[in-house]
Amino acid sequence: MEAEAIKKNENFLKLKQSLILKPVLDESCIVHQSLTLLANKWTLLVVMALMQGTKRTNELQKQISGVSPKVLNETLKKLINYGLINRKVYPEVPPRVEYSLTEFGISLADPLAALLDWSVEHENRVNEIYKNKL
Amino acid sequence: MEAEAIKKNENFLKLKQSLILKPVLDESCIVHQSLTLLANKWTLLVVMALMQGTKRTNELQKQISGVSPKVLNETLKKLINYGLINRKVYPEVPPRVEYSLTEFGISLADPLAALLDWSVEHENRVNEIYKNKL
DNA sequence: CGGTATCCTAGGCGATACTG
DNA sequence: CAGTATCGCCTAGGATACCG
């Protein structure tokens, strides 16, 4: 689609323009800082999973298969410290803990949606690279 | 801005809807695969730097201060294998090597622009978290 | 069920030194 | 200047076992 292509090019030029103002991408750069905090597979997958709504620990564990309980827990604690998610404990036996996004966490919907779109759009290519473990 | 808030909420709902279709975020999920390949600080910073245009190795080295030459090189090789960047060698002494984005690499402008926007919008908060090394 | 603690390994990453 | 090789640290992250 022509309009789509034009829009993409506009996005590219806009990004290029924004980045021109950032001659250095060192620690003082806010993008650098964001990436330091968030550029992690498990971290982003947990946030994504919670975009669907409130979930229990075990649900997250099952949905994001591949994470060990330990790493999942560390990731959740980190996200709580960041203020991106809430943790709610119900006084029951057996215990019941639910996680949900904060407003701050929900604000990640924009970048995550863009990533999801990109992934779907380039699905074949990404899968090819992934399989070849390049 | 009201319109802005509405748009953000729409993005959230849209993402939520898209994700509902993905009950499992395991290795077979394309988002999982994308994140496995790209969710890395240096990887994304290099791509971002190249959004500004073609650059020499040393330029990247200086601009993304904090990377060691070794890691920078490994990252560049990885990105070449992914087909995201080009490498051009000039037959000169001393050698001159330039890197640039491929079309595929340029397609990352959308998610990266969204991330940049998010970073700038939440700059204070991100910086606060970053400083406290949470 | 949710979380912690302990142990242990693979690999990310820095430092240094060397080739073309 | 660009890249490789070697060494070595150190932490992300898996496995297991144990408390509330």
Side-chain angles (χ1 to χ4, degrees), chain A residues 41 45 114-134, chain B residues 22 26-39 44 78-79 81-84 103-105 107-108 111:
Chain A
K41 176 174 148 182
L45 281 176
L115 177 70
L116 179 60
D117 287 345
W118 183 86
S119 300
V120 171
E121 188 170 351
H122 301 278
E123 178 157 8
N124 292 335
R125 196 149 181 181
V126 169
N127 183 252
E128 196 62 34
I129 300 170
Y130 185 80
K131 280 190 306 185
N132 292 334
K133 309 251 184 238
L134 287 178
Chain B
K22 304 184 187 305
D26 67 355
E27 284 203 6
S28 69
C29 173
I30 193 63
V31 182
H32 186 118
Q33 297 183 6
S34 295
L35 288 173
T36 301
L37 299 175
L38 298 175
L44 294 176
K78 187 178 77 173
L79 289 172
N81 284 331
Y82 289 0
L84 289 166
E103 279 300 312
F104 188 32
S107 74
L108 279 171

Side-chain angles (χ1 to χ4, degrees), chain B residues 19 38 41 68 73 112 120:
Chain B
L19 284 170
L38 298 175
K41 177 174 148 184
S68 67
N73 208 44
L112 289 182
V120 170

Side-chain angles (χ1 to χ4, degrees), chain B residues 80-97:
Chain B
I80 291 168
N81 284 331
Y82 289 0
L84 289 166
I85 66 174
N86 297 308
R87 178 175 183 272
K88 170 147 192 189
V89 185
Y90 294 83
E92 302 173 6
V93 177
R96 170 190 183 81
V97 179

